[in-house]
């Protein structure tokens, strides 16, 4: 039985990035500062990528300068797509983690970061060295970890092969991402059950894209297989705009918290603050409804 505490990585960056309407910088700052009071372990709060690719997050630098970290233990994570983005991200004292999407689908890696899988492995090494120099930690997301919609070769052996490559680069946090929501509970269980014992030095996480109909089976498969790090987004908003024409929602934070409460997992989440954030999210994700 795994007795490590569960970590929750709240992902407003993932929730926001695909929206067509631009969220004003001051509203982003307000939302993130409220989330920082809630008790999450990590806040995936922005990205240093091309504004042409993700225009919604073109103000990440300005947002980060206004974050209030004086009364929180929550750490900030920023997504980068290449070393240039890493060079920008490490300049911010607010940032503790850099996140890099490493796809095991050649098609998606080209789509997402304009590089091949092999080139991206070099980027992982470059970013790892950069993080060490600047006292940051690198989190590598294994995108399309459970399959892809492009017909690229995939099976569990392919996923394990690339996870080994990433682990050999010294990466201590690796998240398996169900990027387009096609993972089965069987595949989720198989990978976590085999990878966690093999790489005891690695903290494995689950970045699950799912619906209200299938989330619990995916969460349970990961949890019962030893995963103790979960990425979520309030109300399940978001998804990867680079992956497909239609976004597949994230694992809803409130659903995960409910599931963990049934498992008697001790959590430090401030429920009143969480409810305030849920209400505030309406003005961000449904501005017409909330106005």
């Amino acid at each position: 039985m795994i007795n490590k505490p569960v970590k929750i990585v709240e992902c407003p960056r993932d929730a926001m990035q695909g929206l067509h309407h631009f969220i004003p910088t001051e509203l982003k700052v307000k939302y993130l500062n409220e989330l920082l009071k809630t008790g999450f372990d990590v806040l995936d709060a922005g990205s240093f990528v091309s504004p042409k690719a993700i225009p919604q997050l073109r103000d990440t630098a300005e947002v980060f300068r206004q974050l209030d970290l004086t009364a929180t233990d929550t750490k900030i994570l920023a997504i980068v797509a290449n070393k240039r983005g890493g060079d920008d991200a490490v300049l911010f004292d607010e940032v503790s983690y850099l996140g890099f999407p490493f796809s095991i689908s050649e098609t998606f890696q080209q789509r997402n970061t304009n590089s091949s899988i092999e080139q991206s492995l070099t980027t992982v090494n470059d970013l790892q060295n950069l993080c060490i120099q600047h006292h940051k930690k690198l989190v590598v997301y294994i995108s399309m970890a459970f399959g892809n919609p492009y017909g690229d070769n995939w099976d569990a052996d392919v996923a394990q092969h690339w996870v080994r490559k990433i682990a050999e680069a010294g990466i201590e946090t690796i998240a398996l991402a169900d990027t387009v929501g096609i993972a089965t509970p069987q595949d989720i269980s198989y990978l976590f059950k085999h990878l966690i014992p093999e790489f005891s030095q690695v903290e494995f996480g689950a970045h699950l894209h799912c619906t209200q109909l299938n989330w619990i089976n995916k969460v349970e498969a990961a949890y019962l297989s030893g995963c103790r790090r979960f990425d979520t987004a309030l109300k399940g908003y978001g998804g990867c705009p680079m992956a497909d024409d239609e976004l597949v929602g994230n694992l809803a934070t409130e659903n995960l918290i409910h599931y963990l409460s049934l498992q008697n997992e001790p959590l430090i989440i401030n429920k009143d603050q969480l409810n305030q954030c849920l209400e505030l999210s309406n003005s961000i994700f449904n501005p017409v409804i909330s106005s």
Side-chain angles (χ1 to χ4, degrees), residues 54-266:
I54 307 292
Q56 181 63 249
L57 300 173
R58 63 182 184 264
D59 58 350
T60 289
E62 187 177 352
V63 169
F64 278 10
R65 293 188 187 101
Q66 299 179 63
L67 295 181
D68 183 1
L69 302 176
T70 57
T72 183
D73 292 326
T74 301
K75 305 301 183 184
I76 298 297
L77 181 148
I79 295 293
V80 300
N82 48 43
K83 185 176 180 294
R84 183 173 59 186
D87 288 334
D88 292 337
V90 296
L91 298 179
F92 286 80
D93 292 337
E94 294 86 354
V95 174
S96 296
Y97 298 101
L98 272 61
F100 177 72
F102 181 93
S103 178
I104 59 175
S105 156
E106 191 72 52
T107 301
F108 183 60
Q109 194 63 22
Q110 289 286 353
R111 241 175 116 159
N112 199 32
T113 66
N114 195 32
S115 65
S116 68
I117 294 177
E118 288 292 346
Q119 289 170 329
S120 295
L121 190 59
T122 299
T123 301
V124 168
N125 284 285
D126 290 342
L127 290 173
Q128 175 71 344
N129 290 333
L130 191 63
C131 284
I132 291 171
Q133 292 168 17
H134 292 269
H135 309 290
K136 314 288 188 186
K137 295 287 188 179
L138 182 61
V139 178
V140 173
Y141 292 86
I142 306 297
S143 301
M144 303 289 175
F146 303 98
N148 63 81
Y150 312 115
D152 293 338
N153 182 42
W154 179 88
D155 59 29
D157 289 340
V158 171
Q160 289 174 283
H161 166 78
W162 288 111
V163 167
R164 290 189 185 99
K165 291 286 188 181
I166 298 301
E168 288 169 2
I171 310 306
E172 297 178 347
T173 306
I174 300 174
L176 305 184
D178 182 17
T179 315
V180 287
I182 60 176
T184 66
Q186 292 77 16
D187 287 336
I188 293 171
S189 178
Y190 181 90
L191 282 178
F192 281 116
K193 280 184 176 179
H194 283 77
L195 290 172
I196 290 173
E198 182 176 353
F199 301 100
S200 58
Q201 78 281 14
V202 174
E203 177 184 41
F204 282 97
H207 186 98
L208 302 173
H209 288 180
C210 46
T211 68
Q212 284 293 337
L213 297 178
N214 65 14
W215 72 268
I216 193 166
N217 292 332
K218 294 187 179 188
V219 167
E220 190 158 66
Y223 179 81
L224 294 181
S225 301
C227 178
R228 291 296 181 269
R229 179 187 176 101
F230 290 87
D231 287 12
T232 66
L234 294 188
K235 298 186 178 180
Y237 289 121
C240 181
M242 309 299 287
D244 213 337
D245 293 331
E246 294 185 11
L247 298 183
V248 180
N250 285 291
L251 169 61
T253 310
E254 57 274 23
N255 287 344
L256 177 67
I257 290 173
H258 174 69
Y259 175 82
L260 294 175
S261 69
L262 296 178
Q263 313 311 311
N264 295 315
E265 280 286 346

Side-chain angles (χ1 to χ4, degrees), residues 273-289:
Q273 184 64 28
L274 178 67
N275 289 332
Q276 288 186 41
C277 291
L278 284 166
E279 185 172 344
L280 179 58
S281 70
N282 290 328
S283 62
I284 293 177
F285 299 101
N286 300 295
V288 176
I289 295 174

